[in-house]
């Protein structure tokens, strides 16, 4: 009896200590619309989130067709993130099909967006992430949404957001260091579609493209002819194709103008883990390297 009492008295302080330790918060199930956004959510969420990207690596978020597995993932999510500005035209249908009861967080709210005329209408350019200055707004919105959903880990989200924002500042400075020294009349390239508007605005680079803001749009013969004349007139020397869409049209334009291939850019989708752009940070760095090298060569 005495030995039992001694064991109990010895164990009691340990049990009291264990009971005083707060239980760790459950890992949040989070869904993001496409890979670029999913990566930024992971950077802010860290070990406290499990992120599923609806559009996979090298996938086109404009032409994405959700599957039953996507509906299941969305239904199980505690928080869902979209970029917004018309990028995810398929999301409302997926929400209805999945039975998801929440409201997606639109991370692009607060960004100084750019508009353009397309097919006689004024439309907003959804490709905000191609400027790391804009992604800092994403980070702030993601941090708030995760902290609201999981207050117990708010301090961790705040620390992660601050750390990643510094990396975005470094990416921005790196891009300026590359492009600022290239003559303005040489900062011109041909790409598949008009997805680099924010990049161009930030670093004074002109991107010419046969397709508009969405890869779902179709190029008219008159429009392509006009583009070919512009490329010849402005002496655009290099073209790039994109990892997530069909390169045939841009190659046809390049052939007609004599533009030389500069390689592949990652615009709306990350590569897989073995590719050169498995994270947003690596994607942006890679694109800057490819573009600045082509421009420096043409100079």
């Amino acid at each position: 009896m005495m030995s039992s009492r001694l064991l109990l008295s010895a164990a009691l302080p340990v049990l009291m200590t264990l009971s005083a330790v707060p239980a760790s918060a459950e890992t949040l199930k989070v869904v993001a619309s496409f890979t670029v956004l999913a990566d930024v959510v992971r950077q802010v969420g860290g070990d406290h989130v499990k992120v599923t990207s609806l559009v996979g690596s090298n996938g086109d978020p404009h032409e994405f067709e959700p599957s039953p597995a996507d509906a299941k993932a969305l239904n199980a999510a505690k928080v869902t993130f979209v970029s917004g500005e018309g990028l995810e035209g398929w999301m409302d249908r997926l929400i209805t099909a999945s039975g998801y009861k929440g409201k997606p967080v639109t991370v692009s709210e607060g960004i100084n967006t750019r508009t353009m005329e397309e097919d006689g209408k004024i439309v907003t350019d959804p490709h905000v992430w191609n400027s790391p200055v804009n992604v800092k707004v994403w980070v702030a919105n993601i941090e708030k949404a995760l902290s609201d959903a999981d207050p117990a880990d708010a301090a961790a989200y705040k620390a992660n957001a601050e750390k990643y924002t510094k990396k975005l500042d470094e990416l921005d400075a790196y891009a300026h260091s590359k492009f600022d020294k290239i003559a303005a009349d040489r900062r011109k390239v041909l790409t598949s579609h008009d997805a680099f508007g924010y990049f161009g605005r930030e670093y004074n680079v002109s991107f010419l493209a046969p397709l508009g803001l969405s890869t779902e749009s179709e190029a008219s013969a008159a429009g392509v002819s006009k583009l070919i004349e512009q490329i010849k007139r402005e002496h655009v020397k290099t073209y790039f194709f994109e990892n997530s869409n069909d390169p045939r049209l841009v190659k046809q334009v390049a052939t007609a103008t004599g533009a030389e291939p500069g390689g592949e850019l990652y615009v709306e989708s990350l590569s897989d883990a073995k590719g050169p752009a498995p994270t947003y940070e690596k994607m942006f760095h890679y694109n800057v390297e490819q573009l600045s090298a082509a421009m420096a060569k043409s100079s």
Side-chain angles (χ1 to χ4, degrees):
M1 179 68 71
M2 182 63 69
S3 60
S4 298
R5 287 178 179 173
L6 286 172
L7 286 171
L8 180 60
S9 63
L12 193 57
V14 177
L15 292 171
M16 290 176 67
T17 301
L18 290 173
S19 65
V21 176
S24 60
E26 183 180 350
T27 302
L28 284 183
K29 288 185 178 180
V30 176
V31 160
S33 55
F34 68 121
T35 53
V36 179
L37 177 53
D39 178 64
V40 179
V41 173
R42 289 188 190 99
Q43 302 301 326
V44 179
D47 295 335
H48 301 289
V49 300
K50 181 180 180 181
V51 185
T52 298
S53 177
L54 295 174
V55 182
S57 59
N58 297 306
D60 185 341
H62 295 290
E63 298 185 336
F64 177 64
E65 292 292 338
S67 68
D70 297 316
K72 184 177 180 180
L74 181 59
N75 185 267
K78 182 70 179 289
V79 188
T80 298
F81 293 98
V82 296
S83 182
E85 306 301 344
L87 179 71
E88 302 95 343
W90 39 266
M91 180 56 85
D92 287 344
R93 299 194 308 273
L94 179 58
I95 289 173
T96 300
S98 70
Y100 179 67
K101 302 302 181 185
K103 181 181 178 182
V105 177
T106 302
V107 297
S108 296
E109 285 187 1
I111 287 175
N112 176 24
T113 54
R114 62 186 289 269
T115 57
M116 64 179 291
E117 184 177 337
E118 193 169 272
D119 298 328
K121 298 179 181 178
I122 301 299
V123 293
T124 300
D125 183 353
H127 305 94
V128 297
W129 58 89
N130 283 314
S131 162
V133 175
N134 291 339
V135 177
K136 292 197 293 183
V137 177
W138 271 19
V139 168
N141 289 331
I142 291 166
E143 181 204 338
K144 182 180 185 305
L146 293 179
S147 296
D148 288 347
D150 176 23
D153 292 313
Y157 300 137
K158 185 176 188 295
N160 291 342
E162 289 175 350
K163 181 180 178 181
Y164 193 61
T165 296
K166 289 180 181 178
K167 288 186 178 181
L168 295 172
D169 285 333
E170 291 170 0
L171 287 177
D172 179 45
Y174 174 72
H176 275 293
S177 74
K178 287 290 188 178
F179 294 117
D180 290 354
K181 60 189 178 184
I182 297 172
D185 65 345
R186 294 302 179 193
R187 298 183 206 173
K188 298 176 182 179
V189 293
L190 171 65
T191 57
S192 298
H193 83 295
D194 193 359
F196 275 103
Y198 295 96
F199 189 109
R201 184 174 74 179
E202 206 68 54
Y203 308 111
N204 193 24
V205 176
S206 295
F207 291 89
L208 307 175
L211 294 178
L213 295 176
S214 173
T215 53
E216 294 179 301
S217 62
E218 293 185 5
S220 67
V224 171
S225 178
K226 185 178 178 181
L227 176 64
I228 288 171
E229 291 304 313
Q230 182 183 4
I231 290 169
K232 289 179 178 178
R233 185 173 63 252
E234 298 184 13
H235 307 290
V236 178
K237 303 293 187 182
T238 310
Y239 78 90
F240 289 88
F241 59 94
E242 301 167 15
N243 70 311
S244 56
N245 54 60
D246 193 331
R248 287 178 294 181
L249 180 57
V250 71
K251 287 183 177 180
Q252 289 172 12
V253 173
T255 299
T257 61
E260 295 294 324
E264 184 176 46
L265 298 177
Y266 290 80
V267 185
E268 299 174 326
S269 174
L270 302 180
S271 67
D272 58 27
K274 295 180 180 179
T279 67
Y280 174 76
E281 186 178 358
K282 290 183 178 180
M283 179 189 91
F284 185 82
H285 195 280
Y286 178 82
N287 287 343
V288 169
E289 281 287 311
Q290 295 285 95
L291 289 165
S292 60
M295 292 174 197
K297 183 179 178 180
S298 70
S299 297

